[in-house]
Amino acid sequence: MKFLDEAKVYLKAGDGGDGVVAFRREKYIEFGGPDGGNGGRGGDVVVEAVEGLNTLIDYRYAQHFRARKGGNGAGSDRTGAGSEDVVLKVPVGTVVLDEDKETVLADLTEAGQRATLCRGGDGGHGNAHYKTSTNRAPRRADKGYPGEERWVWLRLKLIADAGLVGLPNAGKSTFLAAVSAARPKIADYPFTTLHPQLGVVRLNASEEFVLADIPGLIEGAAEGAGLGTRFLGHIERCAVLLHLIDGTQADPAAAWKTVRGELEEYGADLTDKPEILALNKTDAMTPQARTSRIKALERATGRPVMLISGATGEGVPEVLRALADAVAADRAERTA
């Protein structure tokens, strides 16, 4: 299934049904009076988060959704039928934004959550509604009220516990494939990952977490260079970030600064999240290069750096334990 994490759709709630002018006319009943019923309510447009979906591809080709108009009233004080709601089913983690792409209308983080985006119009009053002691035979009936309409953006932010960041070819896909059952594309050229990948990491029978891999960032990504920063939204909900740095390059500190700069430009408090630094591809480094580059990186970042190899598994259990501890601490804080 093709991955799509953003879609623009048009929504139109149903108009209310019309009220009617009617009078009761039966044999042997004198002065039957007005009995025109009210119109029915138009259908709402509702968005609902459901399990089993992980993409917005359904809204790539169907982009207009309209609820039906309420039924018109009828004689004998009969109210028109209300119309059914139109329900848009989206993956868990979907954010609904107004047309300006800034105003958040709904943030669906749990299965079963629903939000009404457009309300249907109320039905118009029939002439029975206007009957009074001084106006015994009103001939007024109202049209139904129009339903709301709007354009909205659907944006998917994957629900993951931990996120992988780094420059292209830092070994993120190799690491994800090594620690989970995910099978991302792996190759020896940049930008092999073109859309986010999720993998479930199981440390033991009672500990597991979801790890997200996003396409690599390059300098200028905040201005649209490379694949830009459009996929960073998928790690906004992560409790911790694993920053992988290619240990075979000459200046790993510069690589770290590049990615940190793009995260800061993006915002959303990504730079405030706990970050675990790992110098990757140690299997392709000499002992002297390991020592010099880890010292240079620690001086530049001011924090400890772990040595790992996604290809051979060296240092991977220690990194996973650090990630699991950070995720567990975040979960405990949220439930406290």
Side-chain angles (χ1 to χ4, degrees), residues 248-330:
T248 62
Q249 58 186 333
D251 192 354
W256 175 80
K257 291 177 182 177
T258 297
V259 174
R260 290 289 294 185
E262 299 307 321
L263 294 178
E264 189 171 352
E265 286 287 332
Y266 178 81
D269 298 327
L270 291 183
T271 54
D272 296 332
K273 290 183 178 295
E275 181 185 40
I276 297 174
L277 288 178
L279 199 61
N280 196 15
K281 303 185 182 179
T282 55
D283 56 297
M285 299 166 59
T286 63
Q288 294 80 4
R290 288 190 185 195
T291 304
S292 62
R293 288 172 186 170
I294 197 171
K295 286 183 178 179
L297 191 56
E298 286 179 342
R299 282 197 305 268
T301 62
R303 61 186 73 183
V305 178
M306 308 182 76
L307 284 171
I308 68 167
S309 171
T312 65
E314 178 188 353
V316 171
E318 291 78 7
V319 169
L320 294 182
R321 169 46 53 196
L323 288 173
D325 291 344
V327 169
D330 180 74

Side-chain angles (χ1 to χ4, degrees), residues 102-122:
E102 294 181 358
T103 306
V104 178
L105 303 177
D107 190 357
L108 309 176
T109 58
E110 296 180 3
Q113 275 189 294
R114 293 166 64 101
T116 301
L117 301 179
C118 293
R119 296 193 176 277
D122 292 328

Side-chain angles (χ1 to χ4, degrees), residues 58-288:
D58 293 341
Y59 303 100
R60 171 65 178 84
Y61 304 104
Q63 298 171 335
H64 294 76
F65 299 88
R66 294 179 173 87
R68 298 189 63 177
K69 178 178 180 290
N72 295 333
S76 301
D77 266 334
R78 287 176 291 177
T79 300
S83 293
E84 294 184 355
D85 297 339
V86 170
V87 180
L88 279 63
K89 298 186 182 298
V90 297
V92 176
T94 299
V95 179
V96 185
L97 303 173
D98 205 355
E99 193 173 5
D100 60 7
K101 298 188 77 170
E102 294 181 358
T103 306
V104 178
L105 303 177
D107 190 357
L108 309 176
T109 58
E110 296 180 3
Q113 275 189 294
R114 293 166 64 101
T116 301
L117 301 179
C118 293
R119 296 193 176 277
D122 292 328
H125 294 305
N127 67 332
H129 176 82
Y130 295 103
K131 179 179 64 176
T132 66
S133 60
T134 57
N135 187 8
R136 308 298 294 273
R139 284 173 169 77
R140 172 184 171 182
D142 298 336
K143 301 284 288 182
Y145 293 88
E148 296 177 342
E149 58 182 318
R150 69 193 334 159
W151 284 91
V152 300
W153 285 90
L154 304 177
R155 180 176 294 169
L156 177 59
K157 296 182 180 180
L158 297 177
I159 303 294
D161 299 306
L164 282 171
V165 296
L167 292 176
N169 264 16
K172 301 187 299 298
S173 297
T174 301
F175 181 84
L176 182 67
V179 301
S180 72
R183 291 294 172 262
K185 182 178 180 181
I186 299 173
D188 60 351
Y189 55 84
F191 296 114
T192 53
T193 301
L194 298 178
H195 56 78
Q197 300 276 349
L198 287 181
V200 178
V201 180
R202 290 185 173 88
L203 275 68
N204 50 55
S206 61
E207 286 184 293
E208 68 177 33
F209 60 89
V210 179
L211 183 63
D213 173 26
I214 64 170
L217 300 173
I218 64 174
E219 187 172 358
E223 284 74 44
L227 294 178
T229 58
R230 59 170 301 213
F231 295 115
L232 284 179
H234 296 291
I235 61 173
E236 285 184 23
R237 305 182 195 274
C238 293
V240 59
L241 300 180
L242 174 59
H243 191 158
L244 290 185
I245 300 171
D246 185 355
T248 62
Q249 58 186 333
D251 192 354
W256 175 80
K257 291 177 182 177
T258 297
V259 174
R260 290 289 294 185
E262 299 307 321
L263 294 178
E264 189 171 352
E265 286 287 332
Y266 178 81
D269 298 327
L270 291 183
T271 54
D272 296 332
K273 290 183 178 295
E275 181 185 40
I276 297 174
L277 288 178
L279 199 61
N280 196 15
K281 303 185 182 179
T282 55
D283 56 297
M285 299 166 59
T286 63
Q288 294 80 4

